[in-house]
Amino acid sequence: MGIPFAPVLGLVGSDLFARRDDMMITTNPFDPDEEVVVVRAFTPDVCILHASKADRLGNALLRWHPDNEDLMVARGARRVIVTAEEIVDEVSPRDPSGVYIPTINVTAVVHAPGGGHPGGVGGYYEMDRPHILEYQRASVSDEEFQKYLDKYVFGVSEEEYSKRYGPMAMRV
């Protein structure tokens, strides 16, 4: 939008401010009794989003949820890579099953079944709750998070990850 910052709801009282220098609590200029969080604007070089479906032109359908900001992030990034559970002939903006991202916002499409793991993708697989809990526990320190990354990112190939941990392994 070309603005230097934006207000964000729901973060007052969290511990994010101890770890982040791109947001702060300030007084609402329209209500001096209310505190609000403002975040610095940024333009990511690359945004990677996982879709349930995409077509070869770059149109994609992402998981719908009430707070989905994926389209806003896609529009703000310099490049957007969409990974998708399946590549179909056409993705329609009228499809009510997800959030439509048009080809004009997409740089590349990659067929990546299981690519939303450990999150879920409606109609394909559920969220892997034990894995999400492991991720949360690992995020308490840099050392624990490095162990998590070594196990799930750096210490395993994509094929090995899919066989050991991915959504297909969960169905066994």
Short mmCIF file of all heavy atoms in Angstrom, two decimals, residues 55-111:
data_model
loop_
_atom_site.label_atom_id
_atom_site.label_comp_id
_atom_site.label_asym_id
_atom_site.label_seq_id
_atom_site.Cartn_x
_atom_site.Cartn_y
_atom_site.Cartn_z
N ASP A 55 -3.18 -23.98 -11.32
CA ASP A 55 -3.11 -24.34 -12.73
C ASP A 55 -1.76 -23.90 -13.29
O ASP A 55 -0.99 -23.21 -12.61
CB ASP A 55 -4.31 -23.79 -13.53
CG ASP A 55 -4.42 -22.28 -13.55
OD1 ASP A 55 -3.38 -21.58 -13.49
OD2 ASP A 55 -5.56 -21.79 -13.64
N ARG A 56 -1.47 -24.31 -14.49
CA ARG A 56 -0.15 -24.03 -15.07
C ARG A 56 0.08 -22.54 -15.35
O ARG A 56 1.20 -22.10 -15.52
CB ARG A 56 0.05 -24.84 -16.34
CG ARG A 56 0.07 -26.32 -16.05
CD ARG A 56 0.43 -27.17 -17.25
NE ARG A 56 0.17 -28.57 -17.04
CZ ARG A 56 0.79 -29.36 -16.17
NH1 ARG A 56 1.73 -28.86 -15.41
NH2 ARG A 56 0.47 -30.63 -16.05
N LEU A 57 -0.99 -21.76 -15.39
CA LEU A 57 -0.86 -20.32 -15.60
C LEU A 57 -0.46 -19.59 -14.32
O LEU A 57 -0.04 -18.44 -14.37
CB LEU A 57 -2.18 -19.74 -16.13
CG LEU A 57 -2.64 -20.27 -17.48
CD1 LEU A 57 -4.02 -19.70 -17.83
CD2 LEU A 57 -1.63 -19.92 -18.55
N GLY A 58 -0.67 -20.23 -13.17
CA GLY A 58 -0.30 -19.61 -11.91
C GLY A 58 -1.47 -19.25 -11.03
O GLY A 58 -1.27 -18.75 -9.92
N ASN A 59 -2.69 -19.44 -11.48
CA ASN A 59 -3.84 -19.22 -10.62
C ASN A 59 -3.85 -20.31 -9.56
O ASN A 59 -3.54 -21.47 -9.85
CB ASN A 59 -5.14 -19.29 -11.43
CG ASN A 59 -5.17 -18.24 -12.52
OD1 ASN A 59 -5.13 -17.06 -12.26
ND2 ASN A 59 -5.19 -18.72 -13.76
N ALA A 60 -4.18 -19.95 -8.32
CA ALA A 60 -4.11 -20.94 -7.25
C ALA A 60 -5.26 -20.75 -6.27
O ALA A 60 -5.84 -19.66 -6.16
CB ALA A 60 -2.78 -20.83 -6.52
N LEU A 61 -5.56 -21.83 -5.56
CA LEU A 61 -6.61 -21.82 -4.55
C LEU A 61 -5.98 -22.25 -3.22
O LEU A 61 -5.51 -23.38 -3.09
CB LEU A 61 -7.73 -22.78 -4.94
CG LEU A 61 -9.08 -22.55 -4.31
CD1 LEU A 61 -9.62 -21.16 -4.67
CD2 LEU A 61 -10.04 -23.61 -4.75
N LEU A 62 -5.95 -21.32 -2.28
CA LEU A 62 -5.35 -21.58 -0.97
C LEU A 62 -6.43 -21.91 0.05
O LEU A 62 -7.59 -21.58 -0.14
CB LEU A 62 -4.58 -20.34 -0.50
CG LEU A 62 -3.51 -19.83 -1.45
CD1 LEU A 62 -2.98 -18.50 -0.97
CD2 LEU A 62 -2.38 -20.84 -1.58
N ARG A 63 -6.01 -22.51 1.14
CA ARG A 63 -6.92 -22.86 2.22
C ARG A 63 -7.65 -21.61 2.70
O ARG A 63 -7.03 -20.58 2.94
CB ARG A 63 -6.12 -23.48 3.36
CG ARG A 63 -6.95 -23.87 4.56
CD ARG A 63 -6.08 -24.53 5.61
NE ARG A 63 -5.14 -23.63 6.22
CZ ARG A 63 -5.36 -22.99 7.36
NH1 ARG A 63 -6.48 -23.15 8.00
NH2 ARG A 63 -4.45 -22.19 7.86
N TRP A 64 -8.96 -21.73 2.86
CA TRP A 64 -9.74 -20.61 3.36
C TRP A 64 -9.74 -20.62 4.87
O TRP A 64 -9.88 -21.66 5.51
CB TRP A 64 -11.19 -20.67 2.86
CG TRP A 64 -11.94 -19.45 3.28
CD1 TRP A 64 -12.07 -18.30 2.56
CD2 TRP A 64 -12.62 -19.22 4.51
NE1 TRP A 64 -12.78 -17.38 3.27
CE2 TRP A 64 -13.13 -17.92 4.48
CE3 TRP A 64 -12.83 -19.99 5.65
CZ2 TRP A 64 -13.85 -17.36 5.53
CZ3 TRP A 64 -13.55 -19.43 6.70
CH2 TRP A 64 -14.05 -18.14 6.62
N HIS A 65 -9.53 -19.47 5.47
CA HIS A 65 -9.78 -19.26 6.88
C HIS A 65 -10.03 -17.78 7.07
O HIS A 65 -9.62 -16.96 6.26
CB HIS A 65 -8.65 -19.79 7.78
CG HIS A 65 -7.30 -19.21 7.50
ND1 HIS A 65 -6.83 -18.06 8.08
CD2 HIS A 65 -6.32 -19.63 6.67
CE1 HIS A 65 -5.61 -17.80 7.64
NE2 HIS A 65 -5.29 -18.73 6.78
N PRO A 66 -10.72 -17.39 8.15
CA PRO A 66 -11.18 -16.00 8.28
C PRO A 66 -10.07 -14.96 8.29
O PRO A 66 -10.27 -13.85 7.85
CB PRO A 66 -11.94 -15.98 9.60
CG PRO A 66 -12.03 -17.37 10.07
CD PRO A 66 -11.17 -18.24 9.23
N ASP A 67 -8.89 -15.32 8.78
CA ASP A 67 -7.80 -14.35 8.88
C ASP A 67 -6.75 -14.53 7.79
O ASP A 67 -5.62 -14.11 7.95
CB ASP A 67 -7.13 -14.46 10.25
CG ASP A 67 -8.11 -14.21 11.38
OD1 ASP A 67 -8.98 -13.34 11.22
OD2 ASP A 67 -8.01 -14.90 12.41
N ASN A 68 -7.12 -15.15 6.68
CA ASN A 68 -6.14 -15.44 5.63
C ASN A 68 -5.61 -14.13 5.04
O ASN A 68 -6.36 -13.34 4.48
CB ASN A 68 -6.78 -16.29 4.54
CG ASN A 68 -5.75 -16.84 3.60
OD1 ASN A 68 -4.79 -16.17 3.23
ND2 ASN A 68 -5.92 -18.08 3.20
N GLU A 69 -4.30 -13.95 5.18
CA GLU A 69 -3.64 -12.76 4.65
C GLU A 69 -2.72 -13.12 3.49
O GLU A 69 -1.88 -12.32 3.08
CB GLU A 69 -2.87 -12.07 5.76
CG GLU A 69 -3.77 -11.55 6.86
CD GLU A 69 -3.02 -10.95 8.03
OE1 GLU A 69 -1.79 -11.14 8.14
OE2 GLU A 69 -3.67 -10.29 8.85
N ASP A 70 -2.86 -14.34 2.96
CA ASP A 70 -1.95 -14.81 1.92
C ASP A 70 -1.97 -13.93 0.67
O ASP A 70 -0.93 -13.64 0.10
CB ASP A 70 -2.27 -16.25 1.54
CG ASP A 70 -1.96 -17.23 2.66
OD1 ASP A 70 -1.10 -16.91 3.51
OD2 ASP A 70 -2.57 -18.30 2.69
N LEU A 71 -3.15 -13.51 0.25
CA LEU A 71 -3.23 -12.66 -0.94
C LEU A 71 -2.51 -11.33 -0.71
O LEU A 71 -1.78 -10.86 -1.58
CB LEU A 71 -4.68 -12.42 -1.35
CG LEU A 71 -4.90 -11.58 -2.61
CD1 LEU A 71 -4.17 -12.17 -3.81
CD2 LEU A 71 -6.38 -11.42 -2.90
N MET A 72 -2.67 -10.77 0.48
CA MET A 72 -2.00 -9.51 0.80
C MET A 72 -0.47 -9.70 0.77
O MET A 72 0.26 -8.88 0.21
CB MET A 72 -2.44 -9.00 2.18
CG MET A 72 -1.78 -7.71 2.58
SD MET A 72 -2.38 -7.05 4.14
CE MET A 72 -1.90 -8.33 5.28
N VAL A 73 0.01 -10.80 1.34
CA VAL A 73 1.45 -11.07 1.34
C VAL A 73 1.93 -11.30 -0.09
O VAL A 73 2.97 -10.78 -0.49
CB VAL A 73 1.77 -12.29 2.23
CG1 VAL A 73 3.24 -12.67 2.11
CG2 VAL A 73 1.43 -11.98 3.68
N ALA A 74 1.16 -12.05 -0.88
CA ALA A 74 1.53 -12.30 -2.27
C ALA A 74 1.64 -10.99 -3.05
O ALA A 74 2.56 -10.81 -3.86
CB ALA A 74 0.52 -13.24 -2.93
N ARG A 75 0.74 -10.10 -2.81
CA ARG A 75 0.77 -8.81 -3.53
C ARG A 75 1.92 -7.92 -3.09
O ARG A 75 2.38 -7.06 -3.83
CB ARG A 75 -0.56 -8.08 -3.35
CG ARG A 75 -1.66 -8.72 -4.14
CD ARG A 75 -2.97 -8.00 -3.97
NE ARG A 75 -3.97 -8.56 -4.87
CZ ARG A 75 -5.26 -8.44 -4.69
NH1 ARG A 75 -5.73 -7.79 -3.64
NH2 ARG A 75 -6.09 -8.97 -5.55
N GLY A 76 2.42 -8.15 -1.87
CA GLY A 76 3.52 -7.33 -1.36
C GLY A 76 4.89 -7.86 -1.70
O GLY A 76 5.88 -7.13 -1.64
N ALA A 77 5.00 -9.13 -2.08
CA ALA A 77 6.30 -9.75 -2.34
C ALA A 77 6.78 -9.47 -3.76
O ALA A 77 5.98 -9.26 -4.66
CB ALA A 77 6.21 -11.26 -2.11
N ARG A 78 8.09 -9.48 -3.93
CA ARG A 78 8.66 -9.29 -5.26
C ARG A 78 8.41 -10.50 -6.15
O ARG A 78 8.20 -10.37 -7.35
CB ARG A 78 10.16 -9.00 -5.14
CG ARG A 78 10.44 -7.62 -4.56
CD ARG A 78 11.95 -7.34 -4.47
NE ARG A 78 12.18 -6.03 -3.93
CZ ARG A 78 12.29 -5.75 -2.64
NH1 ARG A 78 12.20 -6.71 -1.73
NH2 ARG A 78 12.48 -4.51 -2.22
N ARG A 79 8.51 -11.71 -5.56
CA ARG A 79 8.26 -12.95 -6.28
C ARG A 79 7.40 -13.86 -5.42
O ARG A 79 7.56 -13.89 -4.21
CB ARG A 79 9.58 -13.66 -6.58
CG ARG A 79 10.40 -13.01 -7.65
CD ARG A 79 11.77 -13.70 -7.77
NE ARG A 79 12.80 -12.73 -8.05
CZ ARG A 79 13.45 -11.99 -7.15
NH1 ARG A 79 13.21 -12.13 -5.90
NH2 ARG A 79 14.35 -11.12 -7.52
N VAL A 80 6.53 -14.64 -6.05
CA VAL A 80 5.65 -15.57 -5.34
C VAL A 80 5.78 -16.95 -5.96
O VAL A 80 5.59 -17.11 -7.17
CB VAL A 80 4.18 -15.10 -5.38
CG1 VAL A 80 3.28 -16.13 -4.70
CG2 VAL A 80 4.03 -13.73 -4.73
N ILE A 81 6.12 -17.92 -5.13
CA ILE A 81 6.16 -19.31 -5.54
C ILE A 81 4.99 -20.01 -4.88
O ILE A 81 4.83 -19.94 -3.66
CB ILE A 81 7.48 -19.98 -5.13
CG1 ILE A 81 8.66 -19.26 -5.77
CG2 ILE A 81 7.46 -21.47 -5.49
CD1 ILE A 81 10.01 -19.68 -5.24
N VAL A 82 4.17 -20.66 -5.68
CA VAL A 82 3.04 -21.42 -5.16
C VAL A 82 3.37 -22.89 -5.30
O VAL A 82 3.65 -23.37 -6.41
CB VAL A 82 1.73 -21.10 -5.91
CG1 VAL A 82 0.62 -22.05 -5.51
CG2 VAL A 82 1.31 -19.66 -5.65
N THR A 83 3.37 -23.61 -4.17
CA THR A 83 3.45 -25.06 -4.21
C THR A 83 2.03 -25.57 -4.11
O THR A 83 1.18 -24.92 -3.48
CB THR A 83 4.32 -25.62 -3.07
OG1 THR A 83 3.74 -25.25 -1.81
CG2 THR A 83 5.74 -25.07 -3.15
N ALA A 84 1.73 -26.70 -4.74
CA ALA A 84 0.34 -27.15 -4.78
C ALA A 84 0.23 -28.66 -4.64
O ALA A 84 1.08 -29.40 -5.13
CB ALA A 84 -0.31 -26.72 -6.09
N GLU A 85 -0.84 -29.08 -3.97
CA GLU A 85 -1.15 -30.50 -3.85
C GLU A 85 -1.38 -31.10 -5.22
O GLU A 85 -0.95 -32.22 -5.48
CB GLU A 85 -2.39 -30.71 -2.98
CG GLU A 85 -2.18 -30.39 -1.51
CD GLU A 85 -1.16 -31.28 -0.83
OE1 GLU A 85 -1.11 -32.50 -1.12
OE2 GLU A 85 -0.39 -30.76 -0.01
N GLU A 86 -2.07 -30.36 -6.07
CA GLU A 86 -2.30 -30.87 -7.42
C GLU A 86 -2.34 -29.72 -8.43
O GLU A 86 -2.70 -28.60 -8.10
CB GLU A 86 -3.56 -31.71 -7.50
CG GLU A 86 -4.85 -31.00 -7.22
CD GLU A 86 -6.07 -31.92 -7.36
OE1 GLU A 86 -6.16 -32.66 -8.35
OE2 GLU A 86 -6.92 -31.87 -6.46
N ILE A 87 -1.93 -30.05 -9.64
CA ILE A 87 -2.01 -29.11 -10.76
C ILE A 87 -3.22 -29.52 -11.59
O ILE A 87 -3.35 -30.69 -11.99
CB ILE A 87 -0.73 -29.16 -11.63
CG1 ILE A 87 0.53 -28.94 -10.78
CG2 ILE A 87 -0.83 -28.16 -12.77
CD1 ILE A 87 0.61 -27.59 -10.09
N VAL A 88 -4.12 -28.58 -11.80
CA VAL A 88 -5.35 -28.85 -12.53
C VAL A 88 -5.39 -28.00 -13.80
O VAL A 88 -4.57 -27.11 -13.99
CB VAL A 88 -6.59 -28.56 -11.65
CG1 VAL A 88 -6.61 -29.48 -10.43
CG2 VAL A 88 -6.62 -27.10 -11.21
N ASP A 89 -6.36 -28.28 -14.67
CA ASP A 89 -6.45 -27.53 -15.92
C ASP A 89 -6.78 -26.06 -15.69
O ASP A 89 -6.25 -25.20 -16.38
CB ASP A 89 -7.52 -28.15 -16.84
CG ASP A 89 -7.09 -29.50 -17.38
OD1 ASP A 89 -5.86 -29.75 -17.47
OD2 ASP A 89 -7.96 -30.31 -17.70
N GLU A 90 -7.67 -25.79 -14.73
CA GLU A 90 -8.07 -24.40 -14.49
C GLU A 90 -8.51 -24.22 -13.05
O GLU A 90 -9.21 -25.05 -12.50
CB GLU A 90 -9.24 -24.03 -15.41
CG GLU A 90 -9.69 -22.60 -15.25
CD GLU A 90 -10.87 -22.25 -16.15
OE1 GLU A 90 -11.37 -23.12 -16.88
OE2 GLU A 90 -11.29 -21.08 -16.11
N VAL A 91 -8.08 -23.10 -12.46
CA VAL A 91 -8.54 -22.69 -11.13
C VAL A 91 -9.38 -21.44 -11.34
O VAL A 91 -8.95 -20.48 -11.97
CB VAL A 91 -7.37 -22.39 -10.17
CG1 VAL A 91 -7.87 -21.81 -8.87
CG2 VAL A 91 -6.56 -23.65 -9.92
N SER A 92 -10.59 -21.48 -10.82
CA SER A 92 -11.54 -20.39 -11.05
C SER A 92 -11.62 -19.46 -9.84
O SER A 92 -11.65 -19.90 -8.70
CB SER A 92 -12.93 -20.98 -11.31
OG SER A 92 -13.90 -19.95 -11.29
N PRO A 93 -11.72 -18.14 -10.10
CA PRO A 93 -11.91 -17.20 -8.99
C PRO A 93 -13.28 -17.38 -8.34
O PRO A 93 -13.52 -16.89 -7.24
CB PRO A 93 -11.80 -15.83 -9.66
CG PRO A 93 -12.02 -16.06 -11.11
CD PRO A 93 -11.61 -17.48 -11.40
N ARG A 94 -14.17 -18.11 -8.98
CA ARG A 94 -15.51 -18.34 -8.42
C ARG A 94 -15.59 -19.60 -7.55
O ARG A 94 -16.62 -19.91 -6.99
CB ARG A 94 -16.54 -18.41 -9.55
CG ARG A 94 -16.71 -17.07 -10.27
CD ARG A 94 -17.62 -17.16 -11.48
NE ARG A 94 -17.12 -18.03 -12.55
CZ ARG A 94 -16.11 -17.73 -13.38
NH1 ARG A 94 -15.49 -16.58 -13.26
NH2 ARG A 94 -15.75 -18.56 -14.32
N ASP A 95 -14.47 -20.32 -7.43
CA ASP A 95 -14.46 -21.53 -6.60
C ASP A 95 -14.57 -21.12 -5.13
O ASP A 95 -13.70 -20.42 -4.61
CB ASP A 95 -13.16 -22.30 -6.84
CG ASP A 95 -13.16 -23.67 -6.19
OD1 ASP A 95 -13.76 -23.82 -5.11
OD2 ASP A 95 -12.53 -24.58 -6.75
N PRO A 96 -15.62 -21.53 -4.44
CA PRO A 96 -15.83 -21.10 -3.06
C PRO A 96 -15.02 -21.88 -2.02
O PRO A 96 -15.09 -21.58 -0.84
CB PRO A 96 -17.33 -21.36 -2.85
CG PRO A 96 -17.62 -22.54 -3.72
CD PRO A 96 -16.72 -22.36 -4.93
N SER A 97 -14.21 -22.84 -2.45
CA SER A 97 -13.53 -23.70 -1.49
C SER A 97 -12.20 -23.17 -0.99
O SER A 97 -11.52 -23.84 -0.23
CB SER A 97 -13.33 -25.10 -2.08
OG SER A 97 -12.45 -25.05 -3.19
N GLY A 98 -11.82 -21.95 -1.40
CA GLY A 98 -10.56 -21.40 -0.93
C GLY A 98 -10.37 -19.96 -1.33
O GLY A 98 -11.25 -19.32 -1.89
N VAL A 99 -9.19 -19.45 -1.01
CA VAL A 99 -8.81 -18.08 -1.36
C VAL A 99 -8.09 -18.12 -2.70
O VAL A 99 -7.07 -18.82 -2.85
CB VAL A 99 -7.89 -17.47 -0.27
CG1 VAL A 99 -7.40 -16.10 -0.69
CG2 VAL A 99 -8.63 -17.40 1.05
N TYR A 100 -8.61 -17.38 -3.65
CA TYR A 100 -8.07 -17.37 -5.02
C TYR A 100 -6.91 -16.39 -5.11
O TYR A 100 -7.01 -15.24 -4.70
CB TYR A 100 -9.18 -16.96 -5.98
CG TYR A 100 -8.76 -16.83 -7.42
CD1 TYR A 100 -8.59 -17.95 -8.22
CD2 TYR A 100 -8.54 -15.58 -7.98
CE1 TYR A 100 -8.22 -17.84 -9.54
CE2 TYR A 100 -8.17 -15.45 -9.31
CZ TYR A 100 -8.00 -16.58 -10.09
OH TYR A 100 -7.64 -16.46 -11.40
N ILE A 101 -5.78 -16.87 -5.63
CA ILE A 101 -4.63 -16.02 -5.93
C ILE A 101 -4.49 -16.01 -7.44
O ILE A 101 -4.28 -17.07 -8.06
CB ILE A 101 -3.34 -16.57 -5.29
CG1 ILE A 101 -3.50 -16.73 -3.79
CG2 ILE A 101 -2.14 -15.73 -5.67
CD1 ILE A 101 -3.02 -15.62 -2.94
N PRO A 102 -4.59 -14.84 -8.09
CA PRO A 102 -4.51 -14.81 -9.56
C PRO A 102 -3.08 -14.89 -10.08
O PRO A 102 -2.13 -14.52 -9.39
CB PRO A 102 -5.14 -13.46 -9.90
CG PRO A 102 -4.89 -12.61 -8.71
CD PRO A 102 -4.90 -13.54 -7.52
N THR A 103 -2.96 -15.34 -11.29
CA THR A 103 -1.66 -15.52 -11.92
C THR A 103 -0.80 -14.25 -11.93
O THR A 103 0.42 -14.34 -11.89
CB THR A 103 -1.85 -16.05 -13.37
OG1 THR A 103 -0.56 -16.38 -13.90
CG2 THR A 103 -2.51 -15.03 -14.26
N ILE A 104 -1.43 -13.10 -11.95
CA ILE A 104 -0.66 -11.85 -11.98
C ILE A 104 0.23 -11.69 -10.74
O ILE A 104 1.25 -11.01 -10.78
CB ILE A 104 -1.58 -10.63 -12.16
CG1 ILE A 104 -0.76 -9.40 -12.54
CG2 ILE A 104 -2.41 -10.39 -10.90
CD1 ILE A 104 -1.57 -8.26 -13.05
N ASN A 105 -0.14 -12.38 -9.65
CA ASN A 105 0.65 -12.30 -8.41
C ASN A 105 1.62 -13.47 -8.24
O ASN A 105 2.30 -13.56 -7.22
CB ASN A 105 -0.28 -12.26 -7.20
CG ASN A 105 -1.17 -11.05 -7.20
OD1 ASN A 105 -2.38 -11.17 -7.32
ND2 ASN A 105 -0.59 -9.87 -7.11
N VAL A 106 1.69 -14.38 -9.21
CA VAL A 106 2.47 -15.61 -9.06
C VAL A 106 3.63 -15.65 -10.05
O VAL A 106 3.45 -15.40 -11.23
CB VAL A 106 1.55 -16.84 -9.23
CG1 VAL A 106 2.35 -18.14 -9.15
CG2 VAL A 106 0.45 -16.83 -8.18
N THR A 107 4.82 -15.99 -9.55
CA THR A 107 6.02 -16.11 -10.37
C THR A 107 6.22 -17.53 -10.87
O THR A 107 6.61 -17.75 -12.01
CB THR A 107 7.26 -15.69 -9.56
OG1 THR A 107 7.02 -14.40 -8.99
CG2 THR A 107 8.50 -15.65 -10.42
N ALA A 108 5.95 -18.52 -9.99
CA ALA A 108 6.18 -19.92 -10.36
C ALA A 108 5.22 -20.82 -9.60
O ALA A 108 4.76 -20.48 -8.51
CB ALA A 108 7.62 -20.33 -10.04
N VAL A 109 4.93 -21.98 -10.20
CA VAL A 109 4.08 -22.99 -9.59
C VAL A 109 4.87 -24.29 -9.53
O VAL A 109 5.52 -24.67 -10.50
CB VAL A 109 2.78 -23.22 -10.41
CG1 VAL A 109 1.99 -24.38 -9.85
CG2 VAL A 109 1.94 -21.96 -10.44
N VAL A 110 4.81 -24.96 -8.37
CA VAL A 110 5.52 -26.22 -8.18
C VAL A 110 4.54 -27.28 -7.68
O VAL A 110 3.82 -27.04 -6.70
CB VAL A 110 6.65 -26.05 -7.14
CG1 VAL A 110 7.38 -27.37 -6.90
CG2 VAL A 110 7.61 -24.95 -7.55
N HIS A 111 4.51 -28.42 -8.34
CA HIS A 111 3.68 -29.53 -7.88
C HIS A 111 4.38 -30.15 -6.68
O HIS A 111 5.50 -30.66 -6.79
CB HIS A 111 3.50 -30.56 -9.00
CG HIS A 111 2.60 -31.67 -8.63
ND1 HIS A 111 2.87 -32.98 -8.94
CD2 HIS A 111 1.41 -31.68 -7.97
CE1 HIS A 111 1.89 -33.74 -8.51
NE2 HIS A 111 1.00 -32.98 -7.91
#
